[in-house]
Amino acid sequence: MRVLMLTKYGQQGASSRLRTIQYLSWFEQAGIQCDVFPLISDEALKAKYNKQSYNSSELRQAYWNRIRLLLSNKNQYSLIWIEKEALPWTPAWFEKLLLSGIPYVLDYDDALFHNYDMHRLPIVRKIFGKRLDKLMVGASLVVCGNYYLADRAKHAGARWVEIIPTVIDITRYHASEQKAREDKPTVVWIGSPSTAKYVKEIARPLADLNRQVPFKLRIIGANLSIDGVDIENLPWTEDTEVPLVAESDIGIMPLPDTPWTNGKCGYKLIQYMACGLPVVGSDVGANKNIVDEGANGFLVNSDEQWVEALKTLLQSPELRKQYGHQGRIDAEERFCVQKTAPHLIELLRKVATAA
């Protein structure tokens, strides 16, 4: 069995790394040969983070490379795996034409359809509003990271929808007794520059909390400053992310309640839990299915609840240990590639057999 895997990014793109690339060794061991072709290179992604936009000529070349690949090589494969979409911002009929004659699987870990159906320009909403829905209808299988995404696929008319959360490789994660603080506990957030804005939205409760119970806020993967909060900004690397999280005491995932954030899959919460940290997250989207309130952490709805939940954990090392222990168990039993890979392999085989 041979699969053409069309990812959006290479190893540097979190969604591609977690939704596709980390499964490759599992697929190979199961006898599934995978050829991976990113749309956006790691170099282009790094440049985008620095300049806030892609190089237009490089982007045109990337699209042409993918079109040429589908025109010339797709018949060599049993099926096509598509992370999000093969050709963003092109008419759905064109993408479906390029995919015709071979079963394809769509994978979503974000509410990408809202880029189109909630666009600020009416003409974009009119032309592209149902773009992903049309692709879902033609897919042999749609794999979604949470229930919000799965509901959209079902309402679009997808014939087969499965939920597979965005997970960690449990062998990479560990708890640590060596905490980062010298004299105060560390609250950690890990993410990208594009999502760091969600931490800024709880700036006031974090500052209020720090006046009551001093703590350090560790930011991994972005640079932030908040008046009244001791912040440590650290770069993200694949080698350091686990120890930097494990050295901390509490993991947070703030989110506003919007259509876009309801599509988020709560991955950072799983990272914290795998490192034995208690978690505090907004009562939004997939967070509700990951945080077991009163067992591995807290779900919060307001500034006051953020202060109260974090204060409770900051003041109780024993409760942090108890919740962190349960979080690690939950990560091992529900949110790791060791649990999801066999299921995904079975799904791909069924798609190829049914073709």
Side-chain angles (χ1 to χ4, degrees):
M1 179 177 169
R2 191 177 178 192
V3 178
L4 174 60
M5 312 200 84
L6 303 181
T7 62
K8 185 170 184 181
Y9 307 109
Q11 183 72 19
Q12 289 296 316
S15 59
S16 300
R17 186 175 64 252
L18 300 172
R19 298 295 296 185
T20 304
I21 295 171
Q22 77 165 333
Y23 285 98
L24 294 180
S25 62
W26 291 85
F27 293 156
E28 297 291 344
Q29 291 172 21
I32 301 175
Q33 180 182 344
C34 302
D35 295 333
V36 181
F37 292 90
L39 179 65
I40 307 297
S41 69
D42 285 343
E43 293 73 20
L45 181 60
K46 290 177 183 177
K48 193 249 185 183
Y49 279 141
N50 291 331
K51 302 176 183 177
Q52 304 303 313
S53 64
Y54 293 115
N55 180 289
S56 58
S57 62
E58 289 183 1
L59 203 56
R60 286 194 296 271
Q61 186 61 50
Y63 270 60
W64 171 237
N65 291 342
R66 180 156 285 187
I67 291 170
R68 187 171 53 186
L69 174 68
L70 290 170
L71 287 173
S72 61
N73 293 341
K74 70 179 180 183
N75 292 329
Q76 301 175 19
Y77 298 93
S78 304
L79 63 90
I80 302 177
W81 169 276
I82 302 170
E83 182 203 339
K84 297 180 173 68
E85 50 191 341
L87 292 167
W89 298 99
T90 61
W93 65 263
F94 181 64
E95 186 165 327
K96 291 181 73 174
L97 180 65
L98 291 172
L99 297 170
S100 62
I102 184 170
Y104 65 89
V105 177
L106 293 172
D107 178 68
Y108 295 105
D109 69 338
D110 266 323
L112 201 67
F113 37 80
H114 290 325
N115 282 347
Y116 302 112
D117 65 14
M118 292 188 174
H119 197 277
R120 61 184 180 83
L121 297 178
I123 188 65
V124 172
R125 297 196 297 270
K126 181 177 181 180
I127 295 175
F128 292 109
K130 295 294 183 181
R131 172 182 145 71
L132 295 190
D133 302 71
K134 293 173 182 176
L135 294 173
M136 290 177 187
V137 171
S140 297
L141 168 66
V142 181
V143 178
C144 299
N146 66 28
Y147 287 96
Y148 183 81
L149 304 175
D151 286 345
R152 174 61 175 250
K154 291 173 183 176
H155 291 150
R159 70 187 89 167
W160 184 10
V161 181
E162 294 280 344
I163 297 175
I164 295 182
T166 303
V167 297
I168 49 94
D169 178 352
I170 199 66
T171 62
R172 291 186 61 239
Y173 286 77
H174 55 84
S176 174
E177 297 299 324
Q178 300 299 317
K179 297 305 180 182
R181 65 185 180 276
E182 294 180 358
D183 59 350
K184 53 188 177 183
T186 298
V187 176
V188 65
W189 177 92
I190 186 169
S192 68
S194 63
T195 56
K197 59 188 177 184
Y198 300 137
V199 181
K200 294 286 283 188
E201 292 191 8
I202 60 166
R204 189 182 67 79
L206 289 175
D208 290 346
L209 174 67
N210 192 56
R211 284 191 287 270
Q212 301 177 45
V213 186
F215 67 94
K216 177 185 288 182
L217 178 60
R218 170 171 284 183
I219 301 293
I220 304 172
N223 286 286
L224 287 181
S225 63
I226 297 174
D227 289 342
V229 179
D230 178 11
I231 293 184
E232 177 186 36
N233 291 307
L234 298 171
W236 176 91
T237 72
E238 193 169 8
D239 292 335
T240 61
E241 63 171 343
V242 173
L244 289 178
V245 170
E247 291 169 2
S248 306
D249 296 279
I250 303 165
I252 61 170
M253 186 171 178
L255 286 176
D257 191 356
T258 68
W260 177 258
T261 57
N262 272 274
K264 293 292 182 183
C265 293
Y267 177 72
K268 56 176 59 66
L269 290 174
I270 298 168
Q271 289 184 284
Y272 305 146
M273 289 159 52
C275 288
L277 270 59
V279 295
V280 182
S282 299
D283 191 11
V284 173
N287 290 11
K288 301 178 183 181
N289 304 114
I290 297 172
V291 180
D292 186 358
E293 184 115 37
N296 61 25
F298 296 100
L299 289 169
V300 295
N301 285 302
S302 66
D303 287 357
E304 292 74 19
Q305 289 180 1
W306 270 107
V307 172
E308 188 60 33
L310 287 171
K311 183 177 179 179
T312 298
L313 290 171
L314 288 170
Q315 292 180 328
S316 177
E318 186 57 38
L319 189 61
R320 296 201 299 270
K321 182 177 180 180
Q322 176 187 328
Y323 281 12
H325 177 71
Q326 183 58 50
R328 173 69 187 194
I329 292 173
D330 292 339
E332 292 175 349
E333 294 183 349
R334 300 172 56 204
F335 301 114
C336 64
V337 68
Q338 287 74 11
K339 295 293 185 180
T340 57
H343 181 42
L344 186 54
I345 289 167
E346 180 185 4
L347 294 177
L348 295 184
R349 284 179 171 156
K350 285 182 178 179
V351 170
T353 302

